[in-house]
């Protein structure tokens, strides 16, 4: 009886559809991002990256099937759990990280009508959930029973907790200007024109907001554990960091979550600072469908910038990492809040 | 405080310089890459001498080629080969069968049904080419470069493709000599 009721309950159907769609978005995002990552790294280093001269032995035209082949390889790999590992936690860790990324994507407004759940405290919700992943990282590092994993987990905890603060303080600038926590509300507040010709995105609203965008973006790169802030998995120092002992499908989940986290961070950056689904030319192609296009192109552009960062900058030392967070980003974001407050007082939002 | 601002300025400006350099490489990816996609793209064959100035041997690498029309099936190359990578099989044809002549005007008396050279075993000693009475087995390049063009390399996806099969005799041709023509049986009691 209960199962009948569950099967006919419309909310369950919609939740399943939304869940499957989100998972597909995440999976496709990871597949595409890995491909772009490899190609960009190759081009930066004057190589050609994955290439093929057709199907069969090779990875398809321009190596387009390379990540598909990688995924098949990871799926069919042997599932190894070290004997010394804490079995339950070891199995749980990738899913905790994955859930953190998954529930963050759910609140992102892809367009004015496409959004899984419109929370009225959306930005607060995403800030809370996107840092949930750090629990998974610590679980992975602790349960692996491996010193490299533990080092990586400790570093990532220190790093993510530190960089949460400048990121959140930069977001406060946005909340001050739009005076709402709702993501749709934030995007709607960014329609129109400012300074005569620029779209009324918060990044162009005033000089302090402009600075806040860069503060947020740098902190966001650090939150996703990507180079130059990749000390939790520093290959040259810690083998693989927190995922040293993982292989096959479980490792793939870490990877999936890393790219999903990139998507979330870039999604928040584009929603809060770059006008979300608003068209760059106000009033031009602003239908809900084109909104999806604008949002996705902003997110993908920011992801490309992140990939570009990765293949340009060397890794920071731990002390440099901490000094960037606490001595530079934190004061700058506090000044931003003060400056935006003054701006609102004197000029108006 | 001054130092602090200088630090910020320096990090931002040097970051932009770095991004500029990598961005420049990113944009010229089409023409600037240094990768040679080997099996599909090849360097031009280097023209160079292998140690002594003799125009007969100025090739990098050659391989064995058999002009099967000139082969008489004498198996001298097979016997000469130190590693045994040549295998020749010849079929004795009935008397009076015309198999043609070689370019040295030798009458061919054997039908070569198999002439395989396993190039993955060959050690390029050239010992098989000297005994050949018809000079039909030879290394490409040098004085023979006009007969067969020199390859850059001869790598294959499948190792079996490195066994070169030179024999051209068709199965029908072989069958016509091996399957005995039914002859009229001898009359009863002829033996007795």
């Amino acid at each position: 009886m209960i199962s009948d009721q569950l099967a006919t309950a419309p909310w369950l159907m919609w939740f399943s559809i939304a869940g499957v769609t989100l998972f597909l978005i995440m999976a496709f995002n990871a597949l595409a991002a890995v491909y772009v990552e490899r190609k960009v790294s190759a081009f930066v280093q004057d190589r050609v990256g994955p290439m093929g001269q057709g199907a069969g032995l090779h990875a398809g035209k321009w190596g387009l099937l390379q990540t598909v082949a990688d995924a098949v390889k990871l799926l069919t790999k042997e599932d190894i759990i070290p004997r010394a590992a804490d079995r339950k936690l070891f199995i749980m860790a990738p899913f905790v990280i994955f859930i953190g990324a998954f529930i963050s994507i759910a609140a992102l407004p892809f367009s004015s009508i496409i959004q899984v759940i419109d929370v009225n405290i959306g930005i607060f919700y995403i800030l809370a959930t996107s840092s949930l992943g750090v629990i998974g990282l610590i679980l992975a590092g602790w349960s692996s029973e491996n010193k490299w994993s533990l080092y990586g987990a400790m570093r990532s905890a220190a790093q993510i907790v530190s960089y949460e603060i400048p990121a959140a303080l930069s977001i406060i600038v946005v909340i001050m200007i739009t005076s709402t926590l709702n993501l749709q509300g934030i995007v709607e507040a960014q329609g129109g024109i400012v300074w005569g010709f620029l779209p009324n995105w918060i990044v162009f609203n005033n000089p302090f907001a402009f600075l806040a965008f860069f503060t947020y973006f740098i902190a966001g790169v650090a939150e996703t554990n990507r180079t130059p802030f990749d000390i939790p998995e520093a290959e040259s120092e810690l083998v693989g960091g927190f995922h040293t002992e993982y292989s096959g499908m479980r490792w793939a989940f870490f990877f999936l979550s890393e790219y999903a986290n990139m998507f979330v961070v870039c999604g928040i950056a584009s929603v809060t600072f770059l006008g979300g689904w608003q068209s760059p030319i106000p009033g031009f192609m602003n239908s809900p469908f084109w909104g999806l296009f604008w949002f996705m192109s902003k997110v993908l552009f920011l992801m490309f910038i992140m990939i570009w960062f990765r293949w340009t900058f060397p890794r920071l030392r731990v002390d440099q990492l901490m000094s960037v967070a606490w001595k530079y980003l934190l004061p700058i974001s506090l000044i931003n809040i003060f400056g935006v407050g003054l701006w609102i007082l004197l000029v108006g939002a | 405080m001054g130092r602090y601002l200088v630090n910020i300025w320096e990090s931002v400006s040097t970051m932009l310089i770095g991004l500029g350099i990598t961005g420049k490489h990113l944009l010229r990816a089409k023409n600037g890459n240094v990768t040679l996609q080997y099996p599909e793209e090849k360097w031009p064959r280097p023209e160079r001498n292998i140690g002594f100035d003799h125009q007969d041997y100025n090739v990098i690498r050659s391989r064995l080629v058999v002009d099967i029309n000139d082969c008489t099936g004498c198996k001298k190359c097979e016997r000469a080969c130190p590693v045994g990578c040549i295998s020749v099989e010849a079929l004795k044809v009935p008397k009076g069968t015309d198999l043609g002549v070689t370019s040295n005007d030798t009458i061919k008396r054997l039908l070569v049904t198999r002439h395989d050279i396993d190039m993955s075993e060959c050690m390029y000693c050239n010992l098989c080419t000297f005994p050949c009475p018809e000079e039909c087995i030879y290394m490409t390049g040098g004085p023979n470069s006009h007969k067969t063009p020199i390859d850059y390399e001869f790598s294959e996806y499948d190792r079996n493709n490195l066994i070169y099969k030179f024999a051209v005799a068709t199965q029908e041709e072989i069958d016509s000599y091996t399957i005995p023509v039914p002859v009229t049986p001898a009359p009863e009691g002829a033996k007795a």
Side-chain angles (χ1 to χ4, degrees):
Chain A
M1 291 298 280
I2 291 169
S3 63
D4 283 352
Q5 282 175 348
L6 282 179
T8 50
W11 60 268
L12 189 69
M13 188 185 76
W14 286 113
F15 268 52
S16 323
I17 292 175
V20 170
T21 317
L22 282 185
F23 183 77
L24 287 179
I25 290 173
M26 283 175 77
F28 186 75
N29 169 55
L31 284 181
V34 170
Y35 177 75
V36 173
E37 178 110 52
R38 295 185 66 163
K39 276 294 186 192
V40 168
S41 80
F43 292 160
V44 163
Q45 296 164 358
D46 284 349
R47 296 180 288 115
V48 292
M51 279 299 259
Q53 308 285 337
L57 280 169
H58 302 290
K61 182 89 176 156
W62 305 312
L64 278 170
L65 296 175
Q66 182 66 50
T67 43
V68 178
D70 287 346
V72 170
K73 185 205 103 178
L74 287 171
L75 281 167
T76 52
K77 236 180 155 180
E78 187 191 355
D79 180 26
I80 299 170
I81 298 176
R83 194 176 300 150
D86 189 331
R87 232 184 130 79
K88 276 182 199 155
L89 297 185
F90 190 84
I91 293 171
M92 212 166 88
F95 297 106
V96 173
I97 297 183
F98 178 76
I99 287 168
F102 188 75
I103 59 180
S104 315
I105 286 190
L108 280 182
F110 285 87
S111 144
S112 53
I113 54 165
I114 305 171
Q115 189 178 15
V116 174
I117 184 157
D118 189 9
V119 198
N120 60 356
I121 50 159
I123 190 72
F124 182 64
Y125 168 81
I126 289 189
L127 281 179
T129 53
S130 62
S131 48
L132 208 67
V134 71
I135 300 172
L137 292 186
I138 294 175
L139 275 185
W142 177 257
S143 63
S144 295
E145 199 71 28
N146 177 324
K147 58 184 170 185
W148 305 125
S149 303
L150 192 55
Y151 273 140
M154 288 301 133
R155 285 180 177 193
S156 80
Q159 174 181 329
I160 293 180
V161 169
S162 309
Y163 278 89
E164 273 294 300
I165 297 163
L169 288 179
S170 310
I171 294 291
I172 283 182
V173 167
V174 178
I175 298 167
M176 284 165 76
I177 296 172
T178 59
S179 41
T180 172
L181 289 169
N182 185 320
L183 289 169
Q184 292 286 3
I186 289 174
V187 177
E188 273 157 22
Q190 298 181 55
I193 295 179
V194 75
W195 304 110
F197 62 100
L198 285 171
N200 187 19
W201 298 349
I202 287 172
V203 67
F204 301 128
N205 191 286
N206 63 58
F208 295 103
F210 187 74
L211 255 177
F213 169 65
F214 291 98
T215 326
Y216 174 75
F217 194 63
I218 293 169
V221 174
E223 269 189 75
T224 53
N225 290 334
R226 285 182 64 81
T227 320
F229 304 104
D230 68 336
I231 60 158
E233 46 189 297
E235 300 97 351
S236 46
E237 306 162 27
L238 297 183
V239 192
F242 57 89
H243 58 58
T244 306
E245 297 289 353
Y246 283 86
S247 62
M249 202 52 217
R250 296 181 204 289
W251 184 82
F253 263 89
F254 280 120
F255 227 66
L256 201 64
S257 324
E258 181 186 326
Y259 284 101
N261 275 328
M262 267 173 85
F263 190 89
V264 170
V265 164
C266 296
I268 302 176
S270 59
V271 164
T272 50
F273 290 101
L274 299 180
W277 40 259
Q278 299 277 8
S279 157
I281 304 157
F284 171 69
M285 300 207 294
N286 229 354
S287 70
F289 171 75
W290 283 108
L292 180 66
F293 170 75
W294 293 123
F295 175 77
M296 286 309 285
S297 39
K298 283 167 194 172
V299 170
L300 295 180
F301 175 73
L302 289 180
M303 281 178 78
F304 168 74
I305 300 279
M306 274 197 179
I307 292 171
W308 189 5
F309 274 8
R310 174 164 176 186
W311 298 104
T312 303
F313 301 132
R315 183 182 308 129
L316 269 69
R317 239 173 21 226
V318 180
D319 61 317
Q320 292 170 335
L321 188 90
M322 285 299 141
S323 81
V324 168
W326 294 103
K327 289 188 189 165
Y328 293 92
L329 290 185
L330 184 64
I332 290 173
S333 40
L334 286 173
I335 290 168
N336 283 338
I337 292 177
F338 182 69
V340 169
L342 271 185
W343 189 275
I344 292 172
L345 199 66
L346 300 177
V347 185
Chain B
M1 193 62 198
R3 187 68 225 159
Y4 184 81
L5 292 175
V6 166
N7 278 347
I8 293 176
W9 167 248
E10 276 184 352
S11 58
V12 170
S13 58
T14 49
M15 272 163 70
L16 289 178
I17 290 170
L19 284 174
I21 290 171
T22 48
K24 217 160 51 188
H25 283 261
L26 197 64
L27 288 178
R28 63 168 200 211
K30 184 85 181 164
N31 303 314
N33 74 69
V34 293
T35 307
L36 183 81
Q37 296 183 63
Y38 165 61
E40 281 79 26
E41 295 172 17
K42 290 164 184 175
W43 291 115
R45 190 174 63 87
E47 290 289 343
R48 65 151 205 192
N49 210 298
I50 55 165
F52 51 98
D53 191 24
H54 194 292
Q55 65 159 12
D56 291 357
Y57 294 100
N58 60 351
V59 289
I60 295 301
R61 234 178 145 188
S62 54
R63 57 172 152 178
L64 282 170
V65 172
V66 177
D67 282 341
I68 198 67
N69 289 332
D70 285 356
C71 181
T72 57
C74 65
K75 298 196 184 184
K76 280 182 179 166
C77 50
E78 185 181 345
R79 273 178 233 121
C81 182
V83 293
C85 69
I86 305 174
S87 42
V88 183
E89 280 170 14
L91 188 71
K92 206 166 190 175
V93 294
K95 229 179 165 86
T97 314
D98 182 25
L99 286 175
V101 291
T102 66
S103 32
N104 287 356
D105 287 339
T106 314
I107 298 163
K108 293 204 271 187
R109 299 194 189 283
L110 293 167
L111 178 70
V112 182
T113 56
R114 181 183 177 204
H115 197 304
D116 294 355
I117 299 178
D118 191 345
M119 227 41 211
S120 59
E121 283 184 37
C122 177
M123 63 179 195
Y124 307 95
C125 62
N126 219 17
L127 286 176
C128 53
T129 66
F130 299 115
C132 185
E134 305 299 325
E135 292 166 354
C136 70
I137 184 167
Y138 57 86
M139 286 277 180
T140 56
N144 301 316
S145 49
H146 63 280
K147 294 191 203 166
T148 310
I150 308 166
D151 276 1
Y152 173 73
E153 32 78 295
F154 31 99
S155 55
E156 297 282 353
Y157 280 110
D158 188 354
R159 193 186 291 176
N160 287 329
N161 294 342
L162 283 173
I163 302 173
Y164 296 157
K165 297 182 166 65
F166 292 103
V168 291
T170 57
Q171 194 59 41
E172 291 90 56
E173 212 177 336
I174 298 168
D175 287 347
S176 69
Y177 297 122
T178 48
I179 297 170
V181 185
V183 290
T184 45
E188 284 291 318
K191 203 177 169 189

